[in-house]
Amino acid sequence: MLKNRIIPCLDVKNGRVVKGINFIDLKDAGDPVEQAKIYSDGGADEICFLDITASNENRDIIYDVVEKTSKKCFVPLTVGGGIRSVEDINKLLNCGADKVSINTAAVENSKVVIDSSKKFGSQCIVVAIDAKKNGEKWEVFTHGGRNNSGIDALEYARQMEESGAGELLVTSMDRDGTQVGYDIDLMSKISSKVNIPVIASGGVGNLDHLVDGIKLGKASAVLAASIFHYGKHSVKEAKDYLDSKGIPVRL
Amino acid sequence: MNVTIVDYNSGNISSVINSFKEVAKDKVTIEVTSDLNKIKSCDKVVLPGQGSFKSCVDALNKIKGLTDILNEFAITNKKPLLGICVGFQMFADIGYEENETKGLGWISGKVSKIDNQNGKFKLPHIGWNQINIVKDSKIFKDIENNSHMYFVHSYELVPNDKKVISATTDYSSNIVCSVEKENIFGTQFHPEKSDRIGLKIIDNFINL
């Protein structure tokens, strides 16, 4: 039976791990290579790096981080943040990333998703959707949550599947950093809309939120940062808890 | 001893390289090449593959003489070869991803899309799934039945001769996820991304 995945996410800035509250007020909390290794040894099903300020700053450090990590971690590694082109994707994959997650570039030009999934295969193309509720619908935000594209998130999710995305990483902008739980409504609506796996992100504060993301949000995988990163819970604890709630996990 | 990972522009192979180097340490030389003479003279070959069946077959055919050398290595000389993911799928006679494409024909059978049962099963089949070992395979030495492996694929190899199947995994139906036919080994899952247990499979192959 296919297991639901738990994916610790490390937000990386200038080669160091940080996690912001609603994308601002960053705290420095360690070396990404060592952190990733701790997570993979602890049973993480995948590791995710998000280079959060990559659009504005020197990006080359992340390549070095990815290269070092991929020599130590033998579980899938997803890297996102600031990816603009097929060439950027090529470079990250060559450094040892297994998947890339594309956000702003996919909104601005879906050709990046079409071309890269053709060239490298859908299996390594994750489209990251940052969505914020506006009335009855959700709108897609770009540039690390700074710009509202006005695009309907559900319709966009379907388009990205069609363009060749292998997975969708859906982050609720309203919930990110709040620790009050995933936006279940958003997750389940998107998951029902597409036939590709959805990774839920944004808002995890306790282990029940992970359970909800899978059971109610219909996500194939759950991504979280702070609950793991500041030692509140280990990945092992999270998996044991999910298992106790009848969710299939790799133990 | 030296093991060659065939570099034929089949997509991302850095993880395969990293994992084999990690396992081999200094005992075994890991070569990454498309040089025909090097492939011919090495002890073992790893055939990776990502993307579509068609794109991998096309990439293989783009390197003049490569298919012949692989045939000679695996079929005539019967030296150990491990195919991973699409590298494994290419063992079949024919694949149906994108267009109908001829495979290597080492394992009689076809590669077709996994039945998603009208959307009940999401595709790609991504993540950790258990393998059901159905026959002893040399690469499964010290691997427990029902071990978790990392999968990412939408197509499956359906062999005509069920005797070659060494493991299956349950997703929509019993998907063939590992074969052993004499000196030819293949895994649909990614041992290079399957944590310590995956590295053990790589170790088993290296130590054949």
Side-chain angles (χ1 to χ4, degrees):
Chain A
M1 180 186 226
L2 182 66
K3 301 298 156 46
N4 290 105
R5 286 166 284 158
I6 295 192
I7 308 173
C9 178
L10 295 163
D11 288 5
V12 179
K13 184 187 183 186
N14 295 329
R16 300 285 294 172
V17 174
V18 288
K19 173 63 192 176
I21 307 296
N22 284 331
F23 290 128
I24 48 165
D25 191 22
L26 304 172
K27 296 176 192 168
D28 191 320
D31 169 27
V33 183
E34 289 308 310
Q35 287 287 338
K37 175 79 179 141
I38 290 167
Y39 284 141
S40 76
D41 286 348
D45 296 312
E46 291 185 33
I47 308 284
C48 179
F49 283 154
L50 278 186
D51 196 6
I52 45 173
T53 52
S55 310
N56 317 327
E57 293 177 30
N58 186 348
R59 267 190 63 69
D60 288 351
I61 301 170
I62 195 71
Y63 295 118
D64 185 46
V65 170
V66 170
E67 200 167 346
K68 284 183 179 142
T69 307
S70 70
K71 291 195 168 111
K72 286 193 168 184
C73 293
F74 299 96
V75 298
L77 174 65
T78 303
V79 183
I83 293 167
R84 309 296 307 167
S85 63
V86 172
E87 184 43 38
D88 288 346
I89 296 168
N90 191 28
K91 237 165 128 180
L92 282 168
L93 295 177
N94 280 335
C95 287
D98 299 290
K99 312 182 204 179
V100 293
S101 95
I102 314 170
N103 188 331
T104 303
V107 176
E108 288 177 346
N109 177 15
S110 60
K111 211 170 165 299
V112 174
V113 177
I114 296 167
D115 292 350
S116 59
S117 62
K118 275 219 179 95
K119 191 170 162 78
F120 309 110
S122 289
Q123 86 288 338
C124 64
I125 306 300
V126 182
V127 168
I129 304 176
D130 287 350
K132 197 177 168 87
K133 194 148 197 191
N134 184 3
E136 285 307 297
K137 61 175 199 168
W138 288 267
E139 288 169 335
V140 177
F141 278 64
T142 60
H143 299 87
R146 288 188 291 275
N147 300 347
N148 183 0
S149 71
I151 296 168
D152 179 75
L154 266 66
E155 183 48 34
Y156 177 68
R158 203 194 51 74
Q159 270 175 28
M160 287 300 107
E161 173 181 26
E162 216 162 81
S163 301
E167 284 176 284
L168 299 175
L169 166 57
V170 182
T171 304
S172 158
M173 295 292 304
D174 303 299
R175 299 297 177 89
D176 200 64
T178 63
Q179 309 215 0
V180 299
Y182 296 117
D183 183 339
I184 294 300
D185 205 16
L186 170 68
M187 300 305 159
S188 66
K189 284 208 166 83
I190 289 190
S191 190
S192 307
K193 188 100 180 170
V194 297
N195 286 315
I196 52 177
V198 168
I199 306 165
S201 156
V204 175
N206 61 48
L207 299 180
D208 279 313
H209 293 151
L210 300 178
V211 174
D212 292 345
I214 293 164
K215 279 198 168 168
L216 307 174
K218 302 188 183 79
S220 301
V222 283
L223 181 136
S226 344
I227 62 156
F228 298 130
H229 203 57
Y230 295 116
K232 196 167 165 187
H233 293 287
S234 67
V235 173
K236 171 92 175 63
E237 273 170 31
K239 286 187 151 183
D240 286 341
Y241 190 73
L242 263 59
D243 180 52
S244 77
K245 297 287 172 184
I247 292 172
V249 286
R250 174 181 68 117
L251 291 171
Chain B
M1 176 165 59
N2 80 54
V3 177
T4 293
I5 299 169
V6 185
D7 181 9
Y8 64 103
N9 298 312
S10 63
N12 179 23
I13 61 169
S14 2
S15 288
V16 175
I17 299 167
N18 286 338
S19 62
F20 272 79
K21 286 193 171 160
E22 170 76 12
V23 172
K25 299 274 191 250
D26 300 324
K27 301 171 294 187
V28 177
T29 314
I30 304 294
E31 186 114 43
V32 184
T33 185
S34 59
D35 184 300
L36 302 185
N37 285 325
K38 281 185 180 164
I39 295 171
K40 200 174 170 174
S41 63
C42 76
D43 300 305
K44 285 173 186 144
V45 158
V46 181
L47 187 61
Q50 281 198 0
S52 72
F53 187 94
K54 184 180 184 302
S55 69
C56 284
V57 169
D58 286 351
L60 209 59
N61 289 335
K62 233 179 216 161
I63 299 172
K64 211 169 168 284
L66 181 54
T67 310
D68 292 339
I69 287 288
L70 291 174
N71 272 313
E72 186 184 317
F73 187 92
I75 304 298
T76 315
N77 297 335
K78 297 210 175 297
K79 292 209 244 175
L81 181 142
L82 173 68
I84 299 174
C85 199
V86 184
F88 148 77
Q89 292 181 355
M90 286 194 298
F91 292 174
D93 299 315
I94 196 156
Y96 294 99
E97 190 169 1
E98 291 184 62
N99 303 319
E100 193 176 303
T101 310
K102 213 169 157 260
L104 291 162
W106 297 344
I107 303 262
S108 144
K110 58 175 186 177
V111 174
S112 47
K113 195 157 193 175
I114 297 169
D115 176 12
N116 76 348
Q117 301 184 19
N118 293 319
K120 201 175 147 207
F121 289 88
K122 297 218 173 224
L123 289 181
H125 170 220
I126 299 186
W128 297 81
N129 207 333
Q130 284 163 299
I131 60 164
N132 176 29
I133 299 176
V134 295
K135 78 164 183 187
D136 274 340
S137 174
K138 295 184 191 91
I139 59 169
F140 290 156
K141 185 174 167 274
D142 297 329
I143 303 288
E144 279 179 37
N145 194 22
N146 295 321
S147 291
H148 286 94
M149 299 293 168
Y150 186 78
F151 287 83
V152 48
H153 64 125
S154 300
Y155 286 75
E156 59 174 327
L157 194 164
V158 184
N160 294 328
D161 178 6
K162 306 296 173 207
K163 286 200 288 291
V164 301
I165 301 168
S166 54
T168 61
T169 192
D170 183 19
Y171 194 71
S172 169
S173 66
N174 277 328
I175 290 172
V176 174
C177 69
S178 179
V179 297
E180 176 178 335
K181 186 186 173 189
E182 298 176 67
N183 54 312
I184 298 170
F185 301 83
T187 63
Q188 177 61 68
F189 55 82
H190 291 267
E192 78 278 12
K193 287 282 112 186
S194 295
D195 219 340
R196 282 168 291 251
I197 196 109
L199 296 185
K200 178 63 191 159
I201 290 181
I202 291 169
D203 188 49
N204 287 339
F205 178 72
I206 287 179
N207 287 312
L208 275 180

